[in-house]
Amino acid sequence: AQKITQTQPGMFVQEKEAVTLDCTYDTSDQSYGLFWYKQPSSGEMIFLIYQGSYDEQNATEGRYSLNFQKARKSANLVISASQLGDSAMYFCAMRGLEEGNTPLVFGKGTRLSVIA
Amino acid sequence: DSGVTQTPKHLITATGQRVTLRCSPRSGDLSVYWYQQSLDQGLQFLIQYYNGEERAKGNILERFSAQQFPDLHSELNLSSLELGDSALYFCASSVGPAQETQYFGPGTRLLVL
């Protein structure tokens, strides 16, 4: 079974600054995937970034990067140069990749507020 | 826009009623997942279909059922609705049953009065 922990219920960041959203996970699988999704106030879930457990390099997608520390079981999301439009809920999620049918398991989310 | 469509966007109904939520996956995606997001339970996986067949089951109540049709669209049926069923219901799709990223639709917001 997988478990995701997001310890920051809410975060504030100044516009144009970088922010790190924490995510730790627990799994007994050797092969797994880690995901971050953004949920703005309109409600949709937007895929941001993916990291595979065997990927040696940290994933990056534009202003998003995933700081993956396997030994610490952490997969923090770093958003650089924050914009007002980044204000949203952010969910860390994972799924095991060994059996093929495991669904996404989500954390409780972090609400990010970007201040002008 | 993820390419996953869900209808309706909003649904208001009464306790004891039955509703059907519809989802069309992204073009080329064979796998469909249903999730429920509520304030107290967070995001929970309900059920997965792959190419018309049930693939995995999560915390789906017996009052709920789903199916995936030959054209790959999926429907989630919720019956004997209770106040606690009020939630945001998401459909997601991926190319295959495993490993690939799941892309979410905009969700159906269900309010049971």
Side-chain angles (χ1 to χ4, degrees):
Chain A
Q2 288 87 32
K3 184 179 179 182
I4 294 283
T5 302
Q6 293 180 256
T7 57
Q8 306 154 314
M11 291 277 289
F12 288 89
V13 64
Q14 202 77 32
E15 199 178 5
K16 299 179 187 173
E17 297 292 312
V19 63
T20 297
L21 306 183
D22 294 342
C23 171
T24 58
Y25 61 90
D26 193 21
T27 182
S28 54
D29 288 354
Q30 295 300 307
S31 178
Y32 50 89
L34 295 153
F35 303 80
W36 277 91
Y37 287 85
K38 172 184 177 183
Q39 187 177 37
S41 57
S42 51
E44 72 268 31
M45 293 286 287
I46 303 167
F47 165 71
L48 295 178
I49 195 165
Y50 166 79
Q51 177 86 43
S53 58
Y54 285 104
D55 294 339
E56 294 192 353
Q57 292 210 321
N58 286 343
T60 60
E61 288 286 349
R63 294 186 299 110
Y64 304 109
S65 60
L66 201 152
N67 184 0
F68 180 45
Q69 298 187 44
K70 196 170 182 177
R72 297 181 62 185
K73 293 192 173 179
S74 75
N76 298 339
L77 177 70
V78 180
I79 305 174
S80 62
S82 296
Q83 302 171 356
L84 295 178
D86 294 334
S87 294
M89 282 290 288
Y90 288 81
F91 291 94
C92 180
M94 74 175 300
R95 64 186 303 195
L97 303 179
E98 292 178 355
E99 292 183 9
N101 294 330
T102 57
L104 283 170
V105 173
F106 286 86
K108 294 193 181 298
T110 295
R111 182 171 298 281
L112 177 67
S113 298
V114 181
I115 305 165
Chain B
D1 187 346
S2 67
V4 180
T5 60
Q6 288 186 250
T7 56
K9 287 196 80 171
H10 303 275
L11 202 47
I12 302 174
T13 188
T15 54
Q17 295 299 304
R18 172 189 167 95
V19 297
T20 297
L21 313 183
R22 184 188 168 102
C23 166
S24 292
R26 293 186 320 158
S27 177
D29 285 359
L30 300 178
S31 201
V32 168
Y33 311 78
W34 287 96
Y35 292 86
Q36 179 195 59
Q37 185 180 31
S38 61
L39 281 173
D40 52 345
Q41 299 288 335
L43 267 156
Q44 288 202 100
F45 168 70
L46 296 178
I47 197 164
Q48 177 198 0
Y49 281 82
Y50 175 69
N51 206 19
E53 295 203 0
E54 184 183 303
R55 193 76 172 206
K57 227 169 182 175
N59 298 323
I60 188 166
L61 300 171
E62 282 193 17
R63 301 184 284 109
F64 296 0
S65 65
Q67 55 184 323
Q68 186 179 28
F69 294 87
D71 67 352
L72 300 176
H73 91 272
S74 177
E75 292 180 358
L76 179 67
N77 300 297
L78 315 177
S79 61
S80 302
L81 285 166
E82 302 174 0
L83 296 178
D85 297 327
S86 296
L88 186 52
Y89 290 84
F90 284 108
C91 168
S93 74
S94 64
V95 174
Q99 297 179 323
E100 291 85 5
T101 296
Q102 295 177 25
Y103 292 91
F104 282 70
T108 292
R109 196 172 292 276
L110 173 67
L111 180 58
V112 182
L113 299 175

